[in-house]
Amino acid sequence: MRKALSILLVMALLAGVLGFAPAVRASQAVVVQMTIGSTKATIDLKQVVLDQPPLIENGRTLVPFRFIGEALGAQIGWDPANRTVSYILGDKSIVLTIGSATAMVNGVKTTLDVAAKILPTGRTVVPIRFISESIGAKVAWNATTRMVTVTMAATLDVGIVLPTKDEPRWLQDQTRFNTALKTAGYDAEILFSQGSSAIEKQNVEALITKGIKVLILCPQDATAAAAAADEARAAGIKVISYDRLILNTSAVDYYVTFDSISVGKAQAQYLVGKTTGTKNPLYLYAGAASDNNAFLFFEGAWDVLQPKIADGTFVIENSSEAVALQGKATLTRAEMAKIIGQITTNWDFTVAKNLAEANLTMATAGKKGNVFILAPNDGTARSIADAFAADKDVKSYVITGQDAEIPSVQYIIDGKQSMTVFKDVRTLVKDASAAAVDYLTGKTPEKTTTYNNGKIDVPAKPSAVISVDKSNVVAALITSGYYPASDFTGLP
C-alpha cells in the first residue's frame, strides 16, 4: 500500500510540477524515432529535443525512461523508496527496478538483457525494445543510420453493433454511446446491421481487425449472433450483449438490458386497467420470432392477460394458437413460439400494418367495437393503430407500445396511441458504457441477476421501466430532460 501511494504521489507531482497529464492509453497511431548519441528525436515527424541521448549498452539500446513512456501514451511512475520506474497503458503494467535484470509485466517476473539505470547525469534510462514491446508497440533498428523506430498501431477500444438505422431508437443510442464513451476517454466505432445477420457478422469481424477490446452487440437474430460472439471471444474480446440476449453461446460476458418481462407486464396491466365489463376484443401482436426479447415481452404480458382471458374479461380475436392455449397460465417457449408465429410483426412497420389489416378483414363487426391491442413496440404500434383507426367498425381502441419514440409520444399526445413503456436509453447506454470501461480497466461490471441464454447464466443488472401515457408524459419525458418540449405540439 505504501509503495502504491508513493508511486501515485510522484506521478501527481510530475503532472503538477512538470506540466504533463499522464495518458490512460494510446488509441492513435504513434511513430517515435531516435538516433543513438543524438538528442534530436521525432514523434509523428514532429521534432523534439531529448535531455539524454539514446545509448547502447551490452548490445541493447537504452532511452530516457520518461520520454518513451509519454511518447507512447503511458502513465509513468517513479518510486524513490524502492527505486522502481513503472508504466501503465490500458491493461499493461510494467515495473522495472533500477539496476535489476528482473522486471514485472502484469505481475509476472521477466528477465531483462540489460537493466534500467540512473546515469551520472541523474537521468534514468530503460531498454527501449523491452518497454515498447511490452506495451504493444513494434521496434525497428537501422544499423546504417543507427536509428530506432518505435511504432504503436492505432487501437480501437470499443466496437458497437446495433440492429438498424431505420428506427429512431437506435439512432438515439448511437448518439448517446458516442457521447458517453468519448466523455470517458475511449474511442468507439458504431456499425449497423440493417436487419441482416450476415452484415452483423461482417461488422463484428471488421471491428475485430481494428483491435477492439470490448464488443457491445445488440443481435439482429439472437441465435445467429452466437457465431459473431464466438469470433470475438476467440480474439480475446469481452462481449456485452446489449438490450437483446445473444443465445446458445458461452462467449457472452455480460448482458445490459431492461427488465423485459416487466415491459410486457406493464403493457398488459395498462390494457387491464382500461377495461370494463366482459368479452372485450383483444388483439395480440409480438416482435420478431428471432429476437429473444420478443418472447420475454410476451411472457410478461401473458402472465397478466391470461387470468383476464380465463375469466372472460378479454376474448382473443386474432390468434387460434393463443385461443387453444388460453387456459394455461404459464407457457413453454415452444408454446409461445406457436402464438408468436401467428402474431409476429418482425419489428417491421409494414408487416405490422399488413397483419393488422388482414386481422380486421377477417374479423366480423362483432369482434371489433371497443378493442384492446397488445402492440410490442412504438413503431409497430403506430402502424397497427393506423389500421384500426381506419376501420369503420372500430369504435375505440387502447393500444400499447414501448421505447418512447418521438413519433409515438406525439401519437399519445394526439390520442392515437394509448401508452408507451419508457425505457430510458440514457440509463441503458450509461450501463453498457460503464461495463465496457470496467472491462477496459480490468474490473468486473456489477451483477444483480443472471439470464440463461441456453448455454450459460449471463451476469446482468437490468434497468427499471416506466409506463407513460397522456397523464404523465410531461413529467416522464419533458421535465426529466429526456426530450425538449419543442419536439412536440399540443402538450397537455
Side-chain angles (χ1 to χ4, degrees):
M1 183 67 176
R2 184 172 297 172
K3 178 191 289 187
L5 288 173
S6 178
I7 292 175
L8 290 172
L9 176 60
V10 172
M11 288 173 61
L13 289 172
L14 285 171
V17 176
L18 299 179
F20 78 95
V24 176
R25 54 169 183 70
S27 60
Q28 305 300 318
V30 179
V31 178
V32 184
Q33 292 184 312
M34 293 164 283
T35 302
I36 300 301
S38 173
T39 57
K40 294 181 179 179
T42 62
I43 301 175
D44 292 336
L45 300 180
K46 294 180 181 178
Q47 189 165 307
V48 296
V49 178
L50 306 179
D51 57 12
Q52 167 63 49
L55 58 100
I56 294 179
E57 184 173 297
N58 296 332
R60 297 299 180 188
T61 300
L62 296 172
V63 300
F65 128 80
R66 191 165 173 272
F67 168 74
I68 190 60
E70 287 182 353
L72 296 180
Q75 285 181 321
I76 60 174
W78 160 246
D79 181 357
N82 295 286
R83 292 172 61 80
T84 59
V85 295
S86 62
Y87 300 88
I88 298 174
L89 183 64
D91 58 356
K92 302 292 186 182
S93 173
I94 306 162
V95 180
L96 298 85
T97 301
I98 301 300
S100 173
T102 300
M104 303 291 287
V105 178
N106 287 352
V108 178
K109 286 185 178 181
T110 303
T111 301
L112 306 176
D113 292 329
V114 61
K117 64 187 297 184
I118 298 177
L119 300 174
T121 60
R123 299 303 180 190
T124 301
V125 290
V126 295
I128 189 170
R129 184 175 293 276
F130 172 76
I131 296 299
S132 301
E133 292 182 349
S134 296
I135 284 175
K138 294 182 178 180
V139 179
W141 164 250
N142 187 317
T144 302
T145 62
R146 292 169 64 82
M147 177 180 285
V148 181
T149 301
V150 180
T151 305
M152 173 71 82
T155 61
L156 187 63
D157 301 306
V158 183
I160 302 170
V161 181
L162 299 176
T164 178
K165 287 183 177 179
D166 298 332
E167 292 182 29
R169 155 69 198 284
W170 304 116
L171 294 177
Q172 292 170 11
D173 283 24
Q174 178 190 32
T175 299
R176 291 179 174 123
F177 266 123
N178 279 327
T179 300
L181 289 166
K182 184 176 180 180
T183 300
Y186 293 92
D187 294 322
E189 182 171 345
I190 301 174
L191 302 175
F192 292 89
S193 302
Q194 291 306 103
S196 167
S197 293
I199 294 175
E200 177 179 270
K201 191 166 184 289
Q202 291 170 8
N203 286 340
V204 171
E205 290 169 347
L207 292 169
I208 290 171
T209 64
K210 294 186 178 183
I212 62 169
K213 305 297 187 297
V214 178
L215 171 68
I216 298 174
L217 172 61
C218 181
Q220 174 63 33
D221 181 305
T223 300
D230 289 341
E231 284 194 46
R233 170 63 65 81
I237 296 165
K238 293 291 185 180
V239 178
I240 298 173
S241 191
Y242 179 70
D243 196 54
R244 303 170 182 172
L245 183 58
I246 303 168
L247 299 179
N248 300 322
T249 175
S250 59
V252 181
D253 295 283
Y254 196 65
Y255 182 29
V256 175
T257 184
F258 291 102
D259 189 339
S260 296
I261 290 178
S262 291
V263 171
K265 286 186 175 183
Q267 292 173 330
Q269 285 164 352
Y270 192 88
L271 295 178
V272 171
K274 295 297 181 179
T275 59
T276 57
T278 60
K279 298 184 179 179
N280 294 283
L282 176 65
Y283 289 79
L284 303 173
Y285 298 95
S290 61
D291 180 359
N292 186 60
N293 274 2
F295 285 81
L296 297 177
F297 298 146
F298 189 80
E299 179 183 343
W302 187 262
D303 185 55
V304 174
L305 292 175
Q306 191 276 333
K308 293 299 181 179
I309 295 168
D311 71 9
T313 300
F314 290 117
V315 177
I316 301 169
E317 302 292 5
N318 69 326
S319 171
S320 59
E321 293 289 354
V323 171
L325 293 165
Q326 65 185 5
K328 293 194 66 174
T330 303
L331 301 177
T332 65
R333 188 177 181 90
E335 289 169 337
M336 282 191 284
K338 289 181 180 180
I339 298 173
I340 291 173
Q342 285 187 326
I343 63 173
T344 180
T345 64
N346 206 35
W347 300 125
D348 185 282
F349 306 166
T350 302
V351 172
K353 187 174 183 181
N354 290 342
L355 179 59
E357 289 174 342
N359 292 158
L360 289 166
T361 298
M362 293 181 64
T364 63
K367 294 183 177 182
K368 299 177 185 179
N370 299 310
V371 303
F372 293 80
I373 308 163
L374 178 73
N377 74 336
D378 282 348
T380 59
R382 296 192 300 276
S383 294
I384 295 167
D386 290 344
F388 275 79
D391 191 298
K392 62 182 178 58
D393 293 320
V394 175
K395 297 177 182 178
S396 70
Y397 60 86
V398 178
I399 186 168
T400 64
Q402 71 168 302
D403 293 333
E405 293 179 358
I406 288 176
S408 276
V409 175
Q410 188 64 58
Y411 260 45
I412 290 171
I413 295 167
D414 296 340
K416 296 179 181 180
Q417 182 174 324
S418 308
M419 64 86 73
T420 187
V421 178
F422 175 37
K423 304 185 302 184
D424 192 338
V425 294
R426 294 174 298 184
T427 301
L428 203 64
V429 168
K430 179 181 176 183
D431 289 347
S433 299
V437 171
D438 279 344
Y439 284 129
L440 289 167
T441 55
K443 301 176 184 175
T444 301
E446 181 181 357
K447 176 189 79 172
T448 58
T449 188
T450 61
Y451 288 81
N452 189 277
N453 75 344
K455 193 83 170 181
I456 60 170
D457 291 325
V458 182
K461 181 189 174 186
S463 302
V465 299
I466 302 169
S467 289
V468 175
D469 65 5
K470 199 167 185 176
S471 69
N472 68 337
V473 65
V474 171
L477 300 176
I478 309 301
T479 306
S480 72
Y482 194 76
Y483 290 130
S486 59
D487 282 349
F488 310 101
T489 60
L491 280 169

